Amino acid sequence: MWDFLKSFLDSVTNNIKSKVTNPLLGAFVFSWLMFNWDKLALLFFGDGKVDVRVKAFKESVKWVSYGSPNAYESIYYPLITTAIYLFLMPYVHLLVQLIQSVSDLLRSKIAVKVDSKKQLNHGELIKAKAIANMQDRKGIEQVEAEIAQSQALTKKLEEEVQAHQLRTQLINEKYLESKEKANQAKIEKEEQQNKAKRQEQENEKGRFAFLRSKAEHENALISLKFPIAYNLIYELEKSVIQDDWSCSLPNLAEIIAATFGYESFEVLINDESFSALNLKKIKFIAYDADKLFARLESVISYESHKTEDDWSTDWLFEHIQSSLEHYSLKILDIESITEQITVELWDFDLLNELLETDAVNSEMAITNAFFDEIDGIELQSYRWIEGDGLYISYTCIVSGSSDENKGFCGDTIDVNFELKLQLVMGGYALDGYEISKVQASVQDWGEDEEKNLPNSSQTLATLKEPSEF
């Protein structure tokens, strides 16, 4: 019974296998499944009961007519695909094989070339191995020779090492000796350094002591300057109070600073030249009307808002003059100072001052006169140099009586000289004047001796710093 069933199943299986492996049937079934897979999907996996899905499947594959969509998907498209696969694909396969045969032929040629190169390389390899074997033998011989040489060299080195050890021992002895000396020198150097450090510390202490003393001295100077400045402020305040004008202390200090040509009262206090000694040296206080009156106007504008009175810079300037008179100080513009100096020159021992200068002396030496008169003092020009002072240029004539016993003649000398009024403090306080430059030339010469005399018309002697007239 079992054998019968097995035979029956084998018969059915072989029959189905022969049908499926049939090229026409297999190609058609594959094509039909390709175009109708969605219907099979609905049959097996769609919604609803089995009978509903089966009915829907039958409707979808039911033959209606030659032109219906079912006919194309169920018959025409699968048949066309089957025909292409059975009849066209073999020729496509042949074409592919033909194209591949070309590449196979090329691969064969390349393989032959590769084998040829391998054979050539193999020959080169055999040749290289033979050469390498020869080189190995030479290398062995060379190594043996080098070993023998090395042994001889080793023996020589051993002898040198022994000699080196002897030298090293001697060097170590010398080294220990030098090290001991170096340690001794190091100790001496450290002692010197410690001594230098102690000296430097002493110097530093001295420097700090000096700076401290300097600071104390500066503080002392400021302490000495303040009473002088305060007295000037006090005199000015007393003067303006007489006209019922009150002024704050900072603005009074500003007026004093402006009068002496300082930028501020703080600069005045810190100026080393502002002292009682220099205050006594002042002969004139010059002023620039534009600068001074502008600062005075600023003070008046600030203070006048407290009252309804109208105060002027000229009025305040008069009070400044009045307060300075208590210290015998005069405040004048530069032109007025120049005029007053010119008047004072006639009472000044100008003749002797000029005769002592090198320029006039050199001219006197080539004349035959005794000079004892000065005349014709004339103002030429004046110039103000910031931070230096006032320079005034004059001309005059120095004359005398001729001495007949001398060989040269001439009794008149033309003199150009310059006076300098040095700044004492601030920007405007001036000291008394002194001669700073002199030029001199003989005016009259005898007719016989004129050609033999040296040219002295440009003789110049400078007593201070030289500059052009």
Side-chain angles (χ1 to χ4, degrees):
M1 185 65 179
W2 173 253
D3 292 336
F4 173 75
L5 289 174
K6 184 178 180 182
S7 299
F8 177 75
L9 290 174
D10 288 339
S11 176
V12 172
T13 301
N14 291 331
N15 190 21
I16 293 173
K17 184 177 180 181
S18 64
K19 299 299 184 184
V20 171
T21 55
N22 186 289
L24 177 61
L25 183 59
F28 181 79
V29 170
F30 178 78
S31 299
W32 191 90
L33 290 174
M34 185 175 64
F35 287 102
N36 296 281
W37 64 271
D38 53 340
K39 300 177 180 65
L40 292 173
L42 292 174
L43 175 63
F44 292 106
F45 306 107
D47 297 333
K49 295 181 179 181
V50 175
D51 56 347
V52 175
R53 286 181 283 162
V54 170
K55 184 179 180 180
F57 176 73
K58 287 181 179 181
E59 289 294 331
S60 63
V61 297
K62 182 178 179 180
W63 179 270
V64 178
S65 64
Y66 290 103
S68 67
N70 287 349
Y72 281 98
E73 294 179 356
S74 300
I75 301 297
Y76 297 146
Y77 290 157
L79 286 176
I80 293 171
T81 305
T82 300
I84 292 172
Y85 177 75
L86 292 176
F87 301 110
L88 184 60
M89 289 303 294
Y91 292 100
V92 173
H93 181 65
L94 288 174
L95 179 62
V96 171
Q97 287 182 337
L98 179 62
I99 295 171
Q100 288 180 342
S101 64
V102 177
S103 63
D104 291 340
L105 179 60
L106 292 173
R107 281 197 298 272
S108 176
K109 290 181 178 180
I110 292 171
V112 171
K113 290 182 179 180
V114 171
D115 291 338
S116 298
K117 288 183 178 180
K118 285 182 178 180
Q119 293 298 325
L120 292 173
N121 292 335
H122 183 67
E124 294 291 335
L125 179 61
I126 293 172
K127 182 178 178 181
K129 286 181 178 180
I131 294 172
N133 291 332
M134 292 177 63
Q135 290 179 346
D136 288 342
R137 289 195 296 272
K138 290 181 179 179
I140 291 170
E141 293 174 355
Q142 186 176 359
V143 169
E144 290 176 350
E146 289 178 354
I147 290 172
Q149 185 179 1
S150 177
Q151 290 175 348
L153 182 61
T154 301
K155 184 177 180 180
K156 181 179 179 181
L157 290 175
E158 288 176 352
E159 295 175 353
E160 291 180 354
V161 166
Q162 292 178 356
H164 177 70
Q165 288 176 350
L166 294 175
R167 288 196 301 269
T168 302
Q169 184 178 359
L170 180 61
I171 291 172
N172 287 334
E173 293 175 357
K174 294 292 185 181
Y175 170 73
L176 293 174
E177 184 180 353
S178 63
K179 186 176 181 180
E180 185 178 356
K181 291 181 178 178
N183 289 334
Q184 185 66 28
K186 183 178 180 181
I187 293 172
E188 293 177 357
K189 183 178 180 181
E190 288 178 352
E191 290 179 354
Q192 292 178 357
Q193 289 178 348
N194 292 332
K195 184 177 180 181
K197 286 182 179 179
R198 288 193 296 271
Q199 184 64 36
E200 185 178 355
Q201 290 174 355
E202 293 295 329
N203 293 338
E204 190 70 14
K205 290 180 181 178
R207 189 173 69 86
F208 280 125
F210 171 74
L211 293 176
R212 182 177 179 181
S213 175
K214 181 180 178 182
E216 292 175 352
H217 175 67
E218 291 176 352
N219 291 332
L221 287 177
I222 292 175
S223 299
L224 291 174
K225 293 173 186 176
F226 188 77
I228 301 171
Y230 178 77
N231 288 334
L232 291 169
I233 294 172
Y234 177 71
E235 292 296 335
L236 178 61
E237 185 181 26
K238 284 198 311 181
S239 180
V240 297
I241 285 177
Q242 294 176 3
D243 288 343
D244 296 329
W245 190 66
S246 62
C247 182
S248 63
L249 181 61
N251 280 327
L252 288 171
E254 166 66 13
I255 294 171
I256 295 300
T259 301
F260 284 90
Y262 289 100
E263 295 179 1
S264 65
F265 187 72
E266 182 180 359
V267 177
L268 180 147
I269 289 296
N270 292 320
D271 184 14
E272 294 183 358
S273 63
F274 187 81
S275 63
L277 180 62
N278 285 337
L279 196 67
K280 293 180 180 180
K281 294 180 180 180
I282 297 174
K283 183 174 180 63
F284 299 104
I285 298 178
Y287 72 91
D288 184 329
D290 293 336
K291 293 181 180 179
L292 177 60
F293 279 56
R295 294 177 70 175
L296 297 181
E297 180 64 32
S298 177
V299 173
I300 292 173
S301 299
Y302 181 83
E303 295 291 341
S304 293
H305 72 279
K306 302 176 185 178
T307 63
E308 296 180 357
D309 296 326
D310 186 17
W311 310 98
S312 67
T313 54
D314 292 333
W315 164 83
L316 182 55
F317 182 74
E318 289 177 1
H319 282 285
I320 293 173
Q321 288 177 315
S322 176
S323 63
L324 291 176
E325 288 177 358
H326 291 275
Y327 298 91
S328 301
L329 298 177
K330 297 179 181 179
I331 180 168
L332 302 170
D333 57 50
I334 296 174
E335 185 176 355
S336 299
I337 293 174
T338 303
E339 292 174 356
Q340 186 164 337
I341 293 295
T342 304
V343 172
E344 291 180 2
L345 279 179
W346 293 102
D347 297 327
F348 178 61
D349 191 9
L350 182 60
L351 177 63
N352 290 330
E353 291 287 339
L354 293 177
L355 293 179
E356 291 178 0
T357 62
D358 293 341
V360 176
N361 261 313
S362 63
E363 295 299 302
M364 289 170 56
I366 59 175
T367 65
N368 64 346
F370 175 75
F371 294 92
D372 56 1
E373 294 183 5
I374 186 169
D375 195 12
I377 301 176
E378 293 184 4
L379 172 67
Q380 298 298 311
S381 63
Y382 60 86
R383 54 196 172 98
W384 176 267
I385 299 178
E386 291 288 337
D388 190 12
L390 177 62
Y391 291 84
I392 311 173
S393 299
Y394 293 93
T395 61
C396 67
I397 298 172
V398 176
S399 59
S401 56
S402 299
D403 186 352
E404 297 179 355
N405 296 324
K406 290 186 177 181
F408 302 122
C409 64
D411 58 3
T412 304
I413 300 176
D414 293 327
V415 179
N416 296 332
F417 65 94
E418 186 176 67
L419 299 182
K420 177 183 178 181
L421 281 75
Q422 178 71 43
L423 277 178
V424 178
M425 65 171 67
Y428 299 127
L430 298 172
D431 195 354
Y433 49 81
E434 61 180 9
I435 297 175
S436 64
K437 289 182 182 179
V438 179
Q439 283 183 330
S441 62
V442 175
Q443 187 182 96
D444 299 323
W445 296 86
E447 295 180 356
D448 297 335
E449 294 86 8
E450 183 174 0
K451 295 182 181 181
N452 299 322
L453 294 178
N455 184 7
S456 59
S457 60
Q458 299 300 323
T459 304
L460 172 64
T462 303
L463 303 180
K464 296 288 184 177
E465 297 180 356
S467 65
E468 296 296 331
F469 277 96

